[in-house]
Amino acid sequence: ARMFLRLLSDVRWRAANPKWRRMTCSQRGTSTTAEPQQAPLPAQAQVVICGGGIMGTSVAYHLSKMGWKDIVLLEQGRLAAGTTRFCAGIVSTARHVSIELKMADYSNKLYQQLEEETGIKTGYVRTGSISLAQTQDRLISLKRVASSLNVMGIPCEIITPKQAAQLHPLINIHDLVGAIYVPEDAVVSSANVSLALATAASRNGVQIHERTSVSHVTIQKGRVTGVETDRGQIGCQYFVNCAGQWAYELGHSGEETVNIPVHACEHFYLLTHPLKEPLASNIPTVVDPDGRIYIRNWQGGILSGGFEKNPKPLFTEGRNQLEIHNLQEDWDHFEPLLSSLLRRMPDLEALQIMQLVNCPESFTPDMRCVMGESPTVQGYFVLAGMNSAGISYGGGAGKYLAEWMVNGYPSENVWPLDLKRFGALQSSRTFLRHRVMEVMPLMCDLKVPRWDFQTGRQLRTSPLYDRLDAQGARWMEKHGFERVKYFVPPGKDLLDLEQSKTFYKPDWFDIVGAEVKCCKEAVCVIDMSSFTKFEISSTGDQALEFLQYLFSNDLDVPVGHVVHTGMLNEKGGYENDCSIARLSKRSFFMISPTDQQVHCWAWLKSRLPDDSSVTMEDVTWKYTALNLIGPRAVDVLSELSYAPMTAEHFPSLFCKEMSVGYANGIRVMSITHTGEPGFVLYIPIEYALHVYNEVMNMGQKYGIRNAGYYALRSLRIEKFFAFWGQDLDAFTTPMECGREFQVKLEKGIDFVGQEALLEQKQHGVYKRFTMFILEDHDTDMDLWPWWGEPIFRNGRYVGRTTSSAYSYTLERHVCLGFVHNFDEKTGEELLVTTDFINQGEYEIDIAGQRFQAKAKLYPFSSLFTHRRRKDEVELSGYQQE
Amino acid sequence: FYLTPPQVNSILKANEYSFKVPEFDGKNVSSILGFDSNQLPANAPIEDRRSAATCLQTRGMLLGVFDGHAGCACAQAVSERLFYYIAVSLLPHETLLEIENAVESGRALLPILQWHKHPNDYFSKEASKLYFNSLRTYWQELIDLNTGETTDVKEALINAFKRLDNDISLEAQVGDPNSFLNYLVLRVAFSGATACVAHVDGVDLHVANTGDSRAMLGVQEEDGSWSAVNLSYDHNAQNEHEIERVKMEHPKSEEKNLVKQDRLLGLLMPFRAFGDVKFKWSIELQKRVVETGPDQLNDNEYTKFIPPNYHTPPYLTAEPEVIYHRLRPQDKFLVLATDGLWETMHRQDVARIVGEYLSGVHHQQPIAVGGYKVTLGQMHGLLTERRARISSVFEDQNAATHLIRHAVGNNEFGTVDHERLSKMLSLPEELARMYRDDMTIIVVQFNSHVI
């Protein structure tokens, strides 16, 4: 059957090639008559979904449930015939990222009742799953997952190896230290789940057409207008790309490119004949991440696959590859996984092999799936790149995407999955090929804090890269941009990559401590060039009006002032958090977090006035940003510029073009992103080296040194600065994180989110951004917090942390997070008041161990070494990483 | 009695050396990724030598193999000295002046070469002063000769070869007050060595060859297969042009005595070589030097023996033939090896073995379960065995070692036969030379991405 499917697919793929289609038009005309008559395509539909796998059918199912009926689903071959057909069908909720966990949990609940709803057998069996730990570090990792599952209300248990053996008699436990048991996890037949979803959708009015392939999407004025298929055109308002492994190419086949960074790798699993004593159908699925394998029951035998260290990427050159590339069983490649399987279950030796299945899966550059609307084409939605967890995520992902299309945004924060987190730069095929080769093995690798990808690096760099590198810089990457973590002093060696992975105190602890100290006592320089920078201007007042409407703070300030402000959505949630300098009456300079480059651009672009009276330019690449932090920054800068830089002459939140050294036209702003005194210099890149050298030379007598982002992070967290993408998201309003002062409800112009904020101002908020200082936490001995740790108030769960850092000043760990107030009986969210926060006893749960924490709603004033004016406090509301 | 595989490996790997050009760091776009080299002795002590160095005052890298005969003294001296002569020949006038001024005023010298040496590759300490003085005389002459023209690599190579051979000859004629050195320079001059040297600078590859060592380029064809391109001509009796050349340089009357039994004057296999003053000096000079020389020299029958039909010396030259090749993306590697390798292996096989080794391609039939009844345990056993087989092929971390393993151990099917390999390596010293020659191999890998 598999062979047949492949042949069939070949035909379709070839048919998708326009050149071939033209040449063989006449033959095709005759051959189609031999096939059973296909229903004609409609000329028009509201939504066209491309792809009949689990993703496409799930989106169709949820859209139709939400009341959208005019939907066409196109599948180039047969429904559920691609990756979906071959995937292992394990529904597992043991996930590290909370949004993924939520998706998996929803999927599980959906699949469970699907058979009843549709009458189609889905093969759903609640087997439970056991994830094994061969090392203590792995067990810590599992315990962190357990903490997450517990507060989500998903039953789970950390169990001993012995208990694992009782749950699954075949497991060899001699090398195990523990395991996590999730009793409600399940297995399904993935193709049948997909068919059931399709059936339900079709009953709700969705038209499904098999053997119809989309050749390209037509786009006019940045909007989807329809699709071209090998069976004719369909006009549509929305297009959903659920093409799985072909999503990348489909994205490139339109008139306007939609970059969808996914790349396929071969994935192997083994099917066996039944055991002599067939396995019980509800025997738990076993995941052995240290052995890189999973094992589930399959018709009385087993199905076992894994994620090898040396994956085989394929289809880098495009889809035609499939014709010449027979996906063969590669036993030699599978050997390490087979060894691992036999080590875990030695009794399987005598089990007879049925087949080794080679089923390509698509992977993304950061191990998270890709969903959402294209930043360049309106109405073009994407759901792809499931990193081999398509069945676990399918239900939830389809639901979120449907909500996104119907309501304008999903019911949860899906920024970690948003297509707009990537730029065009992540779409190079070489980049993707190399990155997925790293990503696939990572599926099984230990997820430790502050982990960096090793492939696809040094893509975007500051002009100072080599200089900083030579001085011992260690790098991390954000949005393709290399940023310094810290500087390793000469003569000091750090552990190698593998050894430095830890959940405990890291080896750079003292290094960062020294950098923090220098920021507080002298002056440090941090290269912050990665930040997204836009210039927005107009000939008249249009730019000001445009910004006043989109931003919550009042931007009608005197020229030369800098304003910190949120860019909010209708619900008052943060779409972006940025600082805007008024360069002249009619032009503004906007600085946003690094990963806002695509999202913020798309947000502003789609709201620009039609008459092109406002111009917007992305000038990120034009400027190098140097941040001078510390009490002596003012001395360094005034010596270099022969200009007085004291607060009287250069108040904080001020922006001025001036000369630094020989270089003229340096945009200096008195902001630091950390709350320490200092400046950010925006330097046209050709002057970057000169200004850096001048600053370093002049700074010598003031004790200047380089610092990195880890020092910055420690400083900003101990100052209680929230940062967008980590602490702030589209579901957080300024009112909920103590930033009322950045909202000018009375500025005289209506702005986006105003009503929602007004409502919150009058009635209060349902969550509150809070700072926690860990009390009984031993920095040397205890597990370090990371983010996502549950927060308990008087023993009851109230929320999760969003970031954490060691404060070298307080000599304590600081966690930031949101506190909710769930009704004890109904679980309903109640108002969170200052008293509610202040009158609780708090604990933070790190991998199952609870630490006492003191909650604060305002930063420690004593931490500020300088007396601050009122407007300087405003500074404290702002931070970016 | 057979050597065990670990014993075989320890013999094969004793002299292996690898050098990786420091990782691409954004600045250094070397066309060379690195090289592997190795030697397998048949003579005791081995008479082959090898050298590799990076030019520090000009660009490029030098690699060479040297096959000594009548002792190893000449090969040793050439391996130490030739690259300095080449480097100096390539230096621009200003740098030469700078170096001379530094020597003159006793300042530290600019380093000229960075050597990449195996611990067994030694330099003679005693002679370094003598060698240095000769080299200095050479660059002083170059300074005086300043033509103002930029140095052509081909010319520089030829000049360096000829000059070094000339210096070797002169040093032996002049002698040295130190008796050890006096004997050394005579041994150098009376023994001989061939040289095959590659200079790689970006896409420009020059090979200078004197004698019967050989340079060969490994080329990957579009279909993935490997082919060999010769980058040197052997200077021996198999090369008609060489026979022609030798005949041209001597009177017609000597014609039939010049090459006998495929040897020069019936004695010497290579038709070009360093040293070998017995084929270069006049009879009078030879007699004078031997008579005034130390007793050890006088007692040596070989040195006293004058070649027959010796009328119009010199019969031998160290002047190299230089071949230029512009590297192409399909040029994946360069093999420099002494005749010990080429006697046992066809260049086409060398290209294939090294090519497949470097590209990691190993053709093994894939396994398919098909309709057979196979258990997990059986499959596991089969796979483990297959993996062991592959890893034995790939136990070499060094392409040169891998090539030697094949050259010595190949059976008639072109695969390594451990028994044969073990037999060949356990031959007693006195027999080894009958079955195989010294073998020295350098495999240079190119970076096709920057070519």
Side-chain angles (χ1 to χ4, degrees):
Chain A
R2 195 165 152 247
M3 202 57 220
F4 171 65
L5 272 173
R6 185 171 320 126
L7 285 173
L8 189 75
S9 311
D10 283 352
V11 172
R12 296 267 64 94
W13 284 316
R14 217 177 291 135
N17 182 334
K19 211 182 285 170
W20 190 85
R21 194 179 52 198
R22 252 199 318 280
M23 276 159 43
T24 57
C25 224
S26 53
Q27 293 148 319
R28 210 168 47 83
T30 54
S31 70
T32 41
T33 53
E35 287 177 22
Q37 199 62 48
Q38 282 182 287
L41 295 180
Q44 190 70 35
Q46 188 185 10
V47 182
V48 170
I49 300 170
C50 172
I54 181 74
M55 291 303 146
T57 53
S58 176
V59 171
Y61 171 88
H62 286 98
L63 277 176
S64 68
K65 278 226 149 171
M66 293 177 75
W68 283 23
K69 306 290 180 192
D70 188 11
I71 299 166
V72 175
L73 189 153
L74 305 177
E75 162 58 43
Q76 61 180 353
R78 301 270 298 276
L79 276 183
T83 296
T84 300
R85 172 166 158 65
F86 296 116
C87 89
I90 298 169
V91 185
S92 154
T93 50
R95 304 279 161 190
H96 290 270
V97 181
S98 95
I99 184 69
E100 294 183 337
L101 203 156
K102 282 176 186 162
M103 290 198 297
D105 184 40
Y106 172 83
S107 303
N108 194 359
K109 293 183 169 116
L110 173 71
Y111 302 158
Q112 189 182 6
Q113 52 82 50
L114 204 55
E115 190 164 328
E116 199 181 338
E117 183 187 334
T118 62
I120 291 176
K121 287 206 183 313
T122 55
Y124 183 94
V125 183
R126 174 165 285 180
T127 56
S129 75
I130 312 169
S131 299
L132 309 175
Q134 293 185 22
T135 64
Q136 287 299 338
D137 271 349
R138 175 70 67 182
L139 193 58
I140 291 167
S141 176
L142 295 179
K143 282 176 177 170
R144 290 186 62 96
V145 173
S147 289
S148 280
L149 287 169
N150 275 326
V151 299
M152 293 268 309
I154 302 170
C156 75
E157 218 184 323
I158 293 291
I159 58 174
T160 62
K162 265 207 179 120
Q163 286 171 301
Q166 280 159 9
L167 288 165
H168 198 308
L170 290 174
I171 301 181
N172 168 18
I173 58 166
H174 77 273
D175 56 349
L176 299 182
V177 297
I180 181 177
Y181 176 49
V182 187
E184 293 187 357
D185 278 354
V187 296
V188 294
S189 149
S190 42
N192 290 348
V193 165
S194 192
L195 288 176
L197 290 171
T199 307
S202 144
R203 280 180 200 154
N204 279 333
V206 174
Q207 297 184 52
I208 297 173
H209 295 269
E210 294 183 303
R211 298 175 192 182
T212 307
S213 55
V214 175
S215 56
H216 75 275
V217 179
T218 51
I219 294 156
Q220 269 171 27
K221 288 187 188 153
R223 264 213 77 94
V224 168
T225 56
V227 296
E228 296 252 4
T229 77
D230 55 348
R231 294 178 52 223
Q233 288 182 358
I234 308 176
C236 66
Q237 288 160 267
Y238 295 94
F239 175 73
V240 188
N241 181 340
C242 295
Q245 298 172 46
W246 314 127
Y248 174 91
E249 290 172 283
L250 185 56
H252 276 249
S253 67
E255 282 140 29
E256 189 141 355
T257 298
V258 176
N259 285 313
I260 303 165
V262 299
H263 192 293
C265 279
E266 292 182 44
H267 175 62
F268 295 91
Y269 65 80
L270 173 77
L271 295 175
T272 72
H273 291 279
L275 273 78
K276 275 216 185 74
E277 250 177 88
L279 282 175
S281 64
N282 63 348
I283 192 104
T285 298
V286 174
V287 181
D288 180 2
D290 299 305
R292 321 191 79 86
I293 51 165
Y294 56 82
I295 307 149
R296 63 161 276 196
N297 164 55
W298 188 75
Q299 301 182 358
I302 61 145
L303 179 165
S304 171
F307 300 95
E308 61 274 24
K309 280 186 178 161
N310 53 335
K312 295 163 77 176
L314 80 167
F315 307 143
T316 306
E317 299 86 349
R319 66 168 75 179
N320 298 335
Q321 283 298 302
L322 195 64
E323 290 169 26
I324 50 166
H325 193 123
N326 278 344
L327 288 183
Q328 288 169 334
E329 49 193 324
D330 184 343
W331 280 98
D332 292 305
H333 190 71
F334 192 70
E335 188 271 336
L337 298 178
L338 179 59
S339 300
S340 182
L341 170 66
L342 290 176
R343 202 170 328 130
R344 185 55 52 222
M345 297 188 177
D347 295 346
L348 297 183
E349 283 244 338
L351 195 54
Q352 215 180 89
I353 294 166
M354 179 173 272
Q355 197 188 355
L356 184 65
V357 181
N358 180 352
C359 137
E361 295 272 0
S362 39
F363 294 85
T364 62
D366 60 359
M367 285 192 281
R368 303 195 299 260
C369 75
V370 174
M371 107 169 26
E373 190 175 11
S374 154
T376 47
V377 182
Q378 285 184 43
Y380 194 121
F381 283 81
V382 177
L383 183 55
M386 288 298 142
N387 298 292
S388 78
I391 279 299
S392 294
Y393 298 152
K399 175 180 148 218
Y400 289 145
L401 194 79
E403 288 173 349
W404 202 327
M405 294 171 68
V406 174
N407 302 332
Y409 203 75
S411 54
E412 292 282 346
N413 168 37
V414 295
W415 171 249
L417 315 176
D418 195 328
L419 171 63
K420 292 195 281 294
R421 73 187 186 273
F422 297 116
L425 55 96
Q426 280 98 348
S427 271
S428 134
R429 282 315 264 176
T430 317
F431 167 82
L432 285 172
R433 182 181 171 88
H434 290 179
R435 178 56 69 80
V436 297
M437 285 173 78
E438 180 181 7
V439 159
M440 183 166 155
L442 274 177
M443 294 287 136
C444 288
D445 284 353
L446 207 54
K447 314 276 186 305
V448 297
R450 295 163 292 269
W451 190 88
D452 300 306
F453 287 105
Q454 301 302 307
T455 54
R457 295 289 297 269
Q458 288 172 302
L459 194 51
R460 300 170 72 204
T461 58
S462 147
L464 302 175
Y465 181 87
D466 281 356
R467 281 298 305 276
L468 301 179
D469 198 57
Q471 294 176 76
R474 292 290 182 276
W475 301 90
M476 61 181 180
E477 166 249 14
K478 181 94 167 197
H479 208 66
F481 210 108
E482 295 292 330
R483 313 195 302 178
V484 181
K485 295 194 281 192
Y486 45 79
F487 288 83
V488 180
K492 198 172 157 87
D493 267 333
L494 288 188
L495 298 172
D496 68 44
L497 201 66
E498 222 26 61
Q499 282 179 312
S500 65
K501 285 187 172 183
T502 179
F503 290 98
Y504 293 90
K505 181 173 154 181
D507 53 354
W508 43 258
F509 182 80
D510 294 328
I511 294 176
V512 173
E515 289 177 9
V516 166
K517 189 161 181 279
C518 186
C519 286
K520 288 186 168 286
E521 293 172 0
V523 53
C524 278
V525 54
I526 303 185
D527 183 345
M528 305 186 51
S529 308
S530 69
F531 282 14
T532 300
K533 308 176 232 358
F534 295 162
E535 273 174 3
I536 298 151
S537 55
S538 60
T539 48
D541 284 337
Q542 297 94 332
L544 178 65
E545 284 162 17
F546 174 64
L547 295 175
Q548 285 286 55
Y549 173 65
L550 289 176
F551 292 84
S552 61
N553 209 338
D554 189 359
L555 289 159
D556 195 3
V557 290
V559 169
H561 279 238
V562 183
V563 176
H564 294 313
T565 178
M567 181 175 88
L568 309 180
N569 55 32
E570 287 296 340
K571 291 174 181 160
Y574 278 101
E575 289 295 333
N576 186 6
D577 181 34
C578 50
S579 27
I580 299 180
R582 190 163 193 183
L583 298 177
S584 72
K585 282 210 99 56
R586 290 172 184 134
S587 72
F588 296 83
F589 184 63
M590 172 179 172
I591 305 140
S592 328
T594 308
D595 51 0
Q596 276 279 358
Q597 198 169 18
V598 177
H599 174 66
C600 181
W601 181 264
W603 182 272
L604 294 176
K605 193 88 183 165
S606 65
R607 286 161 178 79
L608 275 180
D610 287 335
D611 58 5
S612 62
S613 56
V614 178
T615 55
M616 198 166 86
E617 190 190 356
D618 185 343
V619 294
T620 304
W621 61 274
K622 283 188 180 173
Y623 295 95
T624 295
L626 286 184
N627 191 353
L628 295 182
I629 306 178
R632 311 313 296 268
V634 61
D635 302 310
V636 174
L637 211 52
S638 56
E639 280 208 46
L640 279 175
S641 60
Y642 287 93
M645 300 299 290
T646 52
E648 294 79 56
H649 298 93
F650 206 119
S652 82
L653 289 175
F654 201 66
C655 166
K656 199 157 91 178
E657 285 208 353
M658 49 195 285
S659 61
V660 176
Y662 298 149
N664 217 339
I666 310 298
R667 206 168 273 168
V668 177
M669 294 192 200
S670 44
I671 54 175
T672 58
H673 311 294
T674 61
E676 301 300 324
F679 302 89
V680 182
L681 278 50
Y682 291 92
I683 309 159
I685 51 167
E686 69 264 36
Y687 299 141
L689 202 59
H690 171 72
V691 172
Y692 176 79
N693 288 339
E694 290 290 302
V695 165
M696 291 312 273
N697 289 337
M698 188 57 76
Q700 239 169 25
K701 61 180 168 186
Y702 299 106
I704 201 166
R705 59 182 287 170
N706 292 300
Y709 272 79
Y710 282 9
L712 197 75
R713 217 170 64 95
S714 169
L715 287 167
R716 73 101 177 161
I717 288 176
E718 73 180 20
K719 294 276 165 42
F720 197 15
F721 288 10
F723 117 78
W724 192 91
Q726 182 85 48
D727 306 306
L728 305 181
D729 59 42
F731 288 80
T732 316
T733 72
M735 305 302 184
E736 292 160 350
C737 57
R739 292 188 176 182
E740 297 88 51
F741 61 87
Q742 287 186 8
V743 178
K744 298 289 177 338
L745 288 167
E746 323 295 337
K747 68 178 172 180
I749 296 174
D750 290 342
F751 61 89
V752 180
Q754 191 176 20
E755 269 174 48
L757 296 183
L758 213 51
E759 158 82 18
Q760 280 194 330
K761 194 181 165 75
Q762 281 160 2
H763 298 106
V765 295
Y766 291 88
K767 63 179 176 186
R768 196 62 212 265
F769 193 50
T770 313
M771 169 174 181
F772 296 94
I773 291 97
L774 295 191
E775 299 278 293
D776 55 350
H777 183 269
D778 185 328
T779 306
D780 292 317
M781 302 301 293
D782 287 327
L783 288 173
W784 274 32
W786 184 4
W787 56 271
E789 288 89 10
I791 303 164
F792 292 89
R793 178 182 176 277
N794 299 342
R796 290 186 54 233
Y797 169 70
V798 290
R800 312 271 288 261
T801 63
T802 49
S803 53
S804 76
Y806 180 80
S807 160
Y808 293 89
T809 320
L810 298 168
E811 298 182 327
R812 285 260 175 281
H813 258 96
V814 177
C815 300
L816 308 182
F818 285 92
V819 173
H820 301 251
N821 182 3
F822 301 110
D823 185 273
E824 232 167 295
K825 295 192 188 73
T826 62
E828 189 193 345
E829 287 200 49
L830 305 175
L831 287 179
V832 177
T833 60
T834 310
D835 283 348
F836 180 81
I837 301 283
N838 289 338
Q839 290 165 3
E841 297 288 324
Y842 290 91
E843 288 170 307
I844 307 283
D845 174 329
I846 306 174
Q849 197 184 350
R850 292 193 189 179
F851 296 91
Q852 287 169 21
K854 193 185 278 173
K856 293 187 64 81
L857 280 172
Y858 300 97
F860 287 89
S861 48
S862 61
L863 281 176
F864 293 76
T865 46
H866 283 235
R867 196 183 61 81
R868 306 197 145 256
R869 299 209 328 266
K870 191 167 165 290
D871 60 342
E872 281 186 298
V873 178
E874 186 172 325
L875 184 69
S876 69
Y878 173 67
Q879 156 60 29
Q880 296 165 343
E881 265 190 27
Chain B
F1 152 76
Y2 289 127
L3 298 171
T4 62
Q7 286 172 318
V8 165
N9 283 343
S10 80
I11 294 175
L12 288 180
K13 292 176 184 212
N15 292 315
E16 74 179 13
Y17 176 80
S18 282
F19 177 76
K20 290 234 165 338
V21 172
E23 198 84 19
F24 175 74
D25 59 2
K27 286 167 265 184
N28 182 5
V29 277
S30 168
S31 58
I32 295 184
L33 288 171
F35 69 86
D36 291 336
S37 74
N38 200 353
Q39 299 186 304
L40 182 68
N43 293 299
I46 185 167
E47 294 180 346
D48 280 5
R49 291 294 184 269
R50 61 185 155 169
S51 292
T54 306
C55 298
L56 295 177
Q57 302 305 325
T58 55
R59 299 188 316 156
M61 196 165 181
L62 287 164
L63 303 120
V65 295
F66 312 98
D67 185 353
H69 48 261
C72 59
C74 186
Q76 173 63 34
V78 173
S79 76
E80 289 178 40
R81 305 176 68 182
L82 180 59
F83 287 9
Y84 280 115
Y85 279 74
I86 297 172
V88 162
S89 310
L90 286 167
L91 288 179
H93 185 66
E94 308 80 63
T95 318
L96 287 173
L97 274 179
E98 206 176 313
I99 291 174
E100 174 57 24
N101 289 338
V103 176
E104 189 67 29
S105 55
R107 277 184 287 120
L109 267 182
L110 287 174
I112 298 175
L113 292 174
Q114 183 197 350
W115 291 94
H116 312 297
K117 284 196 299 186
H118 186 273
N120 291 359
D121 300 340
Y122 63 95
F123 274 13
S124 137
K125 270 210 187 72
E126 297 79 4
S128 63
K129 183 81 189 132
L130 174 74
Y131 290 168
F132 177 78
N133 286 337
S134 297
L135 183 67
R136 187 180 173 191
T137 314
Y138 177 39
W139 81 53
Q140 285 170 337
E141 284 176 27
L142 285 176
I143 290 173
D144 293 342
L145 271 171
N146 179 22
T147 54
E149 285 166 28
T150 47
T151 330
D152 172 63
V153 178
K154 179 174 177 174
E155 210 174 308
L157 286 164
I158 294 173
N159 290 344
F161 272 63
K162 283 162 75 175
R163 175 69 185 207
L164 173 60
D165 193 49
N166 200 42
D167 282 356
I168 288 171
S169 166
L170 271 178
E171 285 156 8
Q173 291 174 42
V174 173
D176 196 282
N178 175 317
S179 65
F180 175 83
L181 279 182
N182 196 33
Y183 183 42
L184 177 72
V185 294
L186 286 166
R187 272 188 300 147
V188 169
F190 276 92
S191 61
T194 72
C196 184
V197 173
H199 178 265
V200 191
D201 174 10
V203 295
D204 298 321
L205 168 62
H206 287 87
V207 174
N209 184 49
T210 285
D212 54 3
S213 291
R214 198 182 285 174
M216 183 212 90
L217 196 63
V219 180
Q220 187 160 34
E221 304 296 341
E222 263 174 38
D223 63 357
S225 66
W226 296 94
S227 63
V229 171
N230 273 346
L231 287 182
S232 66
Y233 302 115
D234 297 349
H235 298 141
N236 59 17
Q238 277 71 50
N239 183 340
E240 282 173 28
H241 296 287
E242 274 300 290
I243 294 182
E244 256 340 277
R245 176 184 64 81
V246 174
K247 285 182 179 167
M248 288 281 288
E249 288 170 0
H250 298 278
K252 195 108 178 112
S253 56
E254 292 184 48
E255 193 164 288
K256 53 182 198 301
N257 295 325
L258 280 173
V259 180
K260 280 184 171 170
Q261 289 144 13
D262 283 352
R263 287 164 187 253
L264 188 66
L265 297 179
L267 292 171
L268 198 60
M269 291 256 273
F271 279 26
R272 302 191 194 193
F274 282 94
D276 283 328
V277 290
K278 276 153 38 66
F279 297 87
K280 291 174 181 166
W281 287 352
S282 66
I283 296 176
E284 298 71 41
L285 182 57
Q286 291 192 39
K287 279 190 172 147
R288 180 170 64 75
V289 171
V290 172
E291 274 161 21
T292 57
D295 298 341
Q296 299 106 308
L297 199 66
N298 250 323
D299 296 345
N300 188 326
E301 284 304 318
Y302 173 75
T303 49
K304 276 202 288 194
F305 171 73
I306 302 288
N309 306 309
Y310 196 80
H311 306 297
T312 52
Y315 287 88
L316 193 64
T317 173
E319 175 169 344
E321 255 185 307
V322 179
I323 293 185
Y324 170 75
H325 178 79
R326 190 183 160 82
L327 288 172
R328 306 158 300 170
Q330 64 266 40
D331 300 334
K332 302 296 183 189
F333 59 90
L334 172 74
V335 178
L336 300 175
T338 54
D339 59 342
L341 174 72
W342 308 111
E343 281 163 9
T344 56
M345 228 181 207
H346 191 266
R347 59 197 165 96
Q348 189 54 44
D349 292 329
V350 171
R352 183 182 53 79
I353 288 167
V354 176
E356 287 179 0
Y357 173 84
L358 291 178
S359 59
V361 175
H362 35 115
H363 302 290
Q364 197 165 29
Q365 243 357 69
I367 307 182
V369 174
Y372 300 108
K373 288 185 178 175
V374 186
T375 68
L376 291 179
Q378 288 165 339
M379 179 57 87
H380 185 234
L382 180 62
L383 293 175
T384 325
E385 193 244 337
R386 276 163 70 94
R387 207 158 68 123
R389 223 184 310 154
I390 292 174
S391 66
S392 81
V393 174
F394 284 85
E395 66 198 331
D396 295 327
Q397 256 97 66
N398 183 305
T401 311
H402 187 65
L403 199 47
I404 292 178
R405 188 186 298 275
H406 274 273
V408 179
N410 261 10
N411 58 20
E412 52 272 45
F413 307 113
T415 57
V416 175
D417 177 347
H418 177 75
E419 203 174 299
R420 183 184 153 88
L421 184 60
S422 163
K423 242 192 235 167
M424 290 292 280
L425 292 180
S426 46
L427 290 172
E429 268 180 21
E430 59 278 15
L431 278 179
R433 187 64 190 86
M434 319 254 297
Y435 288 90
R436 54 192 172 84
D437 194 0
D438 289 340
M439 210 178 274
T440 298
I441 300 173
I442 300 180
V443 179
V444 187
Q445 205 182 344
F446 297 119
N447 186 354
S448 327
H449 297 295
V450 304
I451 290 172

